[in-house]
Amino acid sequence: MSAADLASVLDGARVLPVLTVPSAASTGPLAGALAAGGARCAEVTFRTPDAEHVLKTMATHGGLTVGAGTVLTPEQAERAVAAGARFVVCPGFDEDVIAKCRELGVPVVPGIATATELMRALKAGLHTVKLFPAEPLGGLPMLRALAAPFPQARFVPTGGIDASRMPAYLADPAVLAVGGSWMATPTHLEQSAYAEVRRLTAEAVQGSMT
């Protein structure tokens, strides 16, 4: 299974909330707020001790397709899929993680920051990649510069993107979806600001359709 299958997993969704959840206690309300805002997918990053539990709980929410992010090792990929992850996202390109995801039959989206890394991904049969960190690397001009010689590549830019920058990325034909954490930050979760999460998510989803 190749990363091209991510498009079918996302089923047309073009905004991917990227979640770093400090405590599993907020998982239920968070999933509800995202779904109420119109999100159909979410990426749970493996950056916190509770990440596996969070992913497992969110995966049971009928309205969301949940994947795992910040996956660094084959063992993490295996745990993520066992917890219910429908796709795997990495910050960089790792052949062992890619091989494990193929073994598990889930789409994997490697992170790339250079043309060399993009060529490695394409050589491995992966045509959908995560441009990361998108904004620090140069933003949309960087993405367009990479896309020009590789028209077969599709991008999920992530890193430093906010609501104001999202529409320009989504208008580029090389962009499959945009990943972002602004819709549900750790501060939102610490303050139980689920109404704000719902509002920001609804704005992002609406903006992705225009």
Side-chain angles (χ1 to χ4, degrees):
M1 181 174 283
S2 76
D5 295 307
L6 180 68
S8 60
V9 170
L10 296 183
D11 191 27
R14 304 202 66 206
V15 179
L16 180 61
V18 178
L19 312 172
T20 300
V21 185
S23 168
S26 60
T27 307
L30 172 59
L34 290 169
R40 300 207 306 271
C41 59
E43 174 190 326
V44 175
T45 64
F46 265 56
R47 296 186 185 185
T48 65
D50 282 350
E52 198 170 350
H53 185 197
V54 169
L55 198 157
K56 185 175 294 187
T57 303
M58 291 199 75
T60 65
H61 193 285
L64 293 172
T65 297
V66 183
T70 321
V71 173
L72 307 179
T73 66
E75 185 263 344
Q76 280 186 329
E78 197 157 22
R79 284 166 43 209
V81 173
R86 295 277 307 282
F87 59 93
V88 168
V89 182
C90 308
F93 183 93
D94 187 281
E95 292 172 350
D96 293 336
V97 174
I98 289 167
K100 174 57 68 175
C101 290
R102 283 186 160 144
E103 177 189 320
L104 296 168
V106 296
V108 55
V109 184
I112 65 102
T114 66
T116 299
E117 292 168 337
L118 178 52
M119 289 177 70
R120 289 179 67 196
L122 293 171
K123 186 176 181 179
L126 302 174
H127 293 85
T128 301
V129 295
K130 169 184 177 177
L131 180 64
F132 179 79
E135 281 294 304
L137 285 172
L140 196 51
M142 174 65 169
L143 186 149
R144 288 172 174 159
L146 282 173
F150 304 105
Q152 69 273 49
R154 302 292 301 282
F155 296 85
V156 183
T158 308
I161 300 174
D162 58 18
S164 66
R165 294 181 171 93
M166 180 192 73
Y169 278 99
L170 290 178
D172 193 286
V175 173
L176 174 65
V178 166
S181 59
W182 78 89
M183 291 160 275
T185 67
T187 299
H188 286 134
L189 304 184
E190 288 165 8
Q191 297 176 352
S192 299
Y194 301 113
E196 182 70 358
V197 170
R198 176 178 176 173
R199 183 186 69 80
L200 292 170
T201 302
E203 286 182 356
V205 171
Q206 186 63 34
S208 73
M209 296 176 179
T210 57

